[in-house]
Amino acid sequence: MAGRIVLFGATGFTGELTAEALVERGARPVLAARNVERLRALGDRLGGLEIAVADVERPESVHELVERDDVLVTTVGPFARWGDPAAEAAVERGAHYIDSTGEPAFIRRVFEVYGPRASRAGCGLITAFGYDWVPGNLAGALALREAGDAAVRVVVGYFQLGRAGFSGGTQASTMGALMEPVFAFRDGRLVEERGAARVASFDVAGERRPGVSVGSSEHLALPRLAPGLREVDVYLGWFGGKSRAMSVGSALMAPAARLPGVKAGVGALTARFVKGSTGGPSAEERAEGRSHFVAMAFDAGGRCLAEVRLEGVNGYDFTAGMLAWGAMRAADRGLRGAGALGPVDAFGLDELEAGAAGAGIARS
């Protein structure tokens, strides 16, 4: 029997967009958040949806949201601070789980801490199932399939074109991630490194654009698809000409972050000045933004064997559409496995490509 879809964080910026996307596609999710008045207003506006009050500071209230075979979708971030109660609830209850994080530390925690427990519970966990980091997983997997067994390295780049703003939740998550070590897949294994350790340039829309290295789910998920893969590089090209300065700043911040009190102080400043759930770009502003992604697969001699490019809508609309598609697909037919799953693991490459196209991003 198909499970329910429970959307936790429904009254936040990404949560509300996701609720709308679910209803537009014919779903009737249970809306969950901590503010009952805002929940009622949203539920009424979307056709009288069921609501449930839950708060990460009361983990038992999050556990009560789901039962076995439900799908718990969570947009409550920053995930490094607030993400664990939802992941715990899914594992304890045997519910499938999908989140919108882009935070490297939390992604790794889902794979390494919650994944084994989910395997034993028979449920699937899909972390980072939005703009961060579905398009790179998709483009990388397509490039690896086209390249064949000779591919040993894959390089992925993320770029935004046109005007695009960031929600309060995105700002808070990004600030928190700056103080954390990230990871990369090197020499056939996962290694720790600082964020923005490397800078690379890509041909995008007729010009060379730089990006800084990031930790992402590609490092954990793509090696599962290609046993011969030895290296995964992912670059974020949001920052344009500031990319090299960010790399230098990262090198300076990394030692300071280890000093007693520095990380806590930055966290306190982030909490004070960069609030989550403070709204984000309007529909008009989002319509002016476009996304571009490139993935290239290389052989051991450095020859490019395959290149795949994707283009489409802005990150927020894509994330909402992707979360809605994934939740409905999981509720209706389940997932292709248990434990922590990459996007391709969970749905298969061809089906994921179709889902991403329906959410607004496809091959160019």
Side-chain angles (χ1 to χ4, degrees):
M1 185 175 73
R4 301 175 306 154
I5 297 172
V6 180
L7 174 60
F8 183 40
T11 58
F13 181 71
T14 299
E16 189 166 337
L17 290 177
T18 303
E20 292 169 351
L22 281 161
V23 171
E24 287 170 2
R25 289 161 171 77
R28 292 187 61 81
V30 178
L31 305 181
R34 62 182 178 180
N35 187 309
V36 67
E37 289 80 13
R38 291 178 65 185
L39 272 174
R40 285 192 183 121
L42 180 61
D44 290 346
R45 180 170 71 81
L46 294 179
L49 297 179
E50 181 182 346
I51 65 171
V53 177
D55 189 336
V56 292
E57 295 186 328
R58 294 186 294 109
E60 71 280 0
S61 68
V62 183
H63 283 230
E64 291 169 359
L65 291 175
V66 289
E67 301 172 354
R68 176 163 291 280
D69 297 326
D70 286 345
V71 180
L72 177 59
V73 180
T74 175
T75 62
V76 178
F79 283 81
R81 184 178 183 186
W82 303 121
D84 288 285
E88 284 279 357
V91 170
E92 289 295 324
R93 295 283 187 161
H96 296 308
Y97 165 98
I98 304 174
D99 72 42
S100 63
T101 191
E103 300 165 42
F106 188 77
I107 292 167
R108 190 169 182 179
R109 191 148 76 237
V110 170
F111 272 88
E112 295 181 351
V113 176
Y114 293 111
R117 294 172 56 193
S119 293
R120 293 191 294 270
C123 58
L125 312 178
I126 315 173
T127 187
F129 197 68
Y131 177 94
D132 311 344
W133 300 95
V134 169
N137 273 278
L138 174 58
L142 288 169
L144 287 169
R145 182 167 70 180
E146 292 178 10
D149 293 341
V152 298
R153 179 181 179 228
V154 65
V155 178
V156 175
Y158 282 72
F159 297 89
Q160 291 194 122
L161 310 179
R163 189 160 70 104
F166 298 100
S167 72
T170 299
Q171 294 178 56
S173 295
T174 302
M175 287 293 292
L178 286 175
M179 295 303 294
E180 298 286 347
V182 299
F183 50 84
F185 191 73
R186 297 268 180 277
D187 297 322
R189 61 190 181 92
L190 206 65
V191 298
E192 188 173 290
E193 67 177 31
R194 61 181 173 86
R198 289 163 287 111
V199 179
S201 294
F202 296 76
D203 289 316
V204 179
E207 62 180 272
R208 296 291 288 178
R209 296 175 185 259
V212 295
S213 58
V214 292
S216 64
S217 65
E218 286 94 329
H219 300 289
L220 293 148
L222 290 179
R224 297 179 175 185
L225 308 178
L229 195 60
R230 304 293 297 168
E231 184 171 334
V232 177
D233 293 305
V234 183
Y235 294 89
L236 191 59
W238 289 2
F239 310 105
K242 299 177 182 178
S243 296
R244 296 195 182 279
M246 284 189 65
S247 184
V248 172
S250 168
L252 296 174
M253 285 179 64
R258 300 188 184 97
L259 297 176
V262 171
K263 183 175 176 180
V266 171
L269 286 171
T270 298
R272 181 175 179 183
F273 295 110
V274 185
K275 304 295 185 182
S277 301
T278 56
S282 67
E284 292 75 17
E285 291 170 330
R286 297 196 308 274
E288 295 181 22
R290 298 287 291 174
S291 300
H292 188 102
F293 314 89
V294 58
M296 295 171 285
F298 297 87
D299 66 15
R303 181 170 62 100
C304 184
L305 301 174
E307 178 177 305
V308 171
R309 291 180 181 268
L310 308 177
E311 289 185 351
V313 299
N314 69 87
Y316 290 110
D317 288 333
F318 175 76
T319 293
M322 206 68 212
L323 289 171
W325 176 82
M328 294 178 69
R329 169 64 177 75
D332 183 45
R333 286 182 276 171
L335 301 173
R336 291 167 46 119
L341 305 171
V344 178
D345 296 330
F347 301 106
L349 182 52
D350 292 332
E351 190 166 352
L352 181 69
E353 184 176 18
I361 287 176
R363 293 187 74 149
S364 57

